[in-house]
Amino acid sequence: MANIQERVENLTGGNSSSSSLPIAVDIATSFLTSVVKSIGYNTPVQDSVDMEDKPLAVLSKAAYENYKTGDTKETQKMIDEYNIGYNIVEDLTDPEYVTAINEEQRKIVIAFRGTDSTLTNIADDIADIEIAAGLAETPILSYVPSRFKTGENVFKKVKEQYPDYEVNLTGHSLGGTVARYIGDRYKEKAVVFSAGASPLEPYIEKKLGTAPSTAKFYFTDTFDLLSNTSKFTEKNIRIVKTKDVNKKYFTGSHDPSNYLEPVKEKLKPIRESVTKSLTKMYPQKIKQTTFKTEYSEDPFKKSICQLRPELCYE
């Protein structure tokens, strides 16, 4: 009998099949994974998001971080780690969204937070129900109190205060649906990650005569129960490879970290460049000091020159 981890890995795409699982489970989960990987209008799987969209992925994560910590200074530190050139606009930031500005590029981004996974945030729960019912495809949400309404309000404030800036909208999960709703309604650029949609979307759009979303959608290549519906309904999509670490749990395909590069990997080219420069300037010293020193006894009993004479100069 397969253990829970094997079942979860199979369902999320960690394995396409496993002889230790019952044949019915193998067939069902392999079919779901293959369907997910074959849809998206034959879009090839990418290793990461497009270069121009990486700042938006970072800010989508920042919206979650700001909600968790309630401290914009800590959120700004997280943004600065990625060196994307954006600074939080305090008076246009809220637990539901982060607004950040890039003065050099004359751009301002509103990043909407996804659902509070603890299910204790009533506003989020209501918004998810609205999405499932297909209301995100209608203008109704402009007139009722909801995450969509508050998102629309901050968008209007941003446009009023920064009329000469390019406005971009982004978000993950519920936040992505809010961003693309506002983007479609006001004809602004929206780039969203794992945004949800209703299975009723095609029917509602047909009845209302509305056009498909103009937003740019990112999804992962494994089975994401929370946003796979959108893969069937949207046109402008990108499929990004699910990170291996996220394949080990059921909601891993939906995790926003799939769209982010680890900071240490981002900084690696910089460290390598510095090392090369120092090697050219001080070739002998760099070569000699790159060895790792392992001590079999207390190193303080002897001087470094006694332990490693090759590191000392006369």
Side-chain angles (χ1 to χ4, degrees), residues 11 29 34 48 68 70 72 86 113 116 118 133 143 164-165 170 189 191 195 208 220 230 236 239 259 267 271 277 280:
L11 182 60
T29 53
S34 63
S48 62
K68 292 174 184 176
T72 54
Y86 279 85
R113 172 182 58 79
D116 178 351
T118 62
Y143 307 101
D164 300 327
Y165 281 65
T170 192
K189 178 182 177 181
V191 177
L208 295 178
T220 52
S230 297
N236 184 15
I239 306 295
Y259 306 108
L267 295 178
R271 290 198 300 267
S277 299
K280 290 180 180 179

Side-chain angles (χ1 to χ4, degrees), residues 2-34 37 221-223 246-250 253:
N3 60 35
I4 296 298
Q5 184 177 351
E6 287 176 311
R7 290 177 184 274
V8 170
E9 287 183 344
N10 192 44
L11 182 60
T12 57
N15 302 295
S16 58
S17 64
S18 170
S19 59
S20 63
L21 290 174
I23 186 65
V25 176
D26 265 352
I27 292 173
T29 53
S30 296
F31 172 74
L32 287 172
T33 300
S34 63
K37 290 184 177 181
D221 67 333
T222 50
F223 183 62
N246 290 333
K247 293 178 180 178
K248 296 181 180 180
Y249 58 98
F250 181 72
S253 297

Side-chain angles (χ1 to χ4, degrees), residues 62-70 75 95-96 113 116 120-121 124:
Y64 282 108
E65 295 300 316
N66 193 60
Y67 176 66
K68 292 174 184 176
T69 66
T75 305
E96 292 184 2
R113 172 182 58 79
D116 178 351
T120 58
N121 189 314
D124 289 6

Side-chain angles (χ1 to χ4, degrees), residues 231-244:
K231 289 184 182 180
F232 291 101
T233 59
E234 306 303 340
K235 303 295 183 183
N236 184 15
I237 71 172
R238 304 287 189 277
I239 306 295
V240 173
K241 190 180 297 182
T242 306
K243 285 188 167 32
D244 288 339

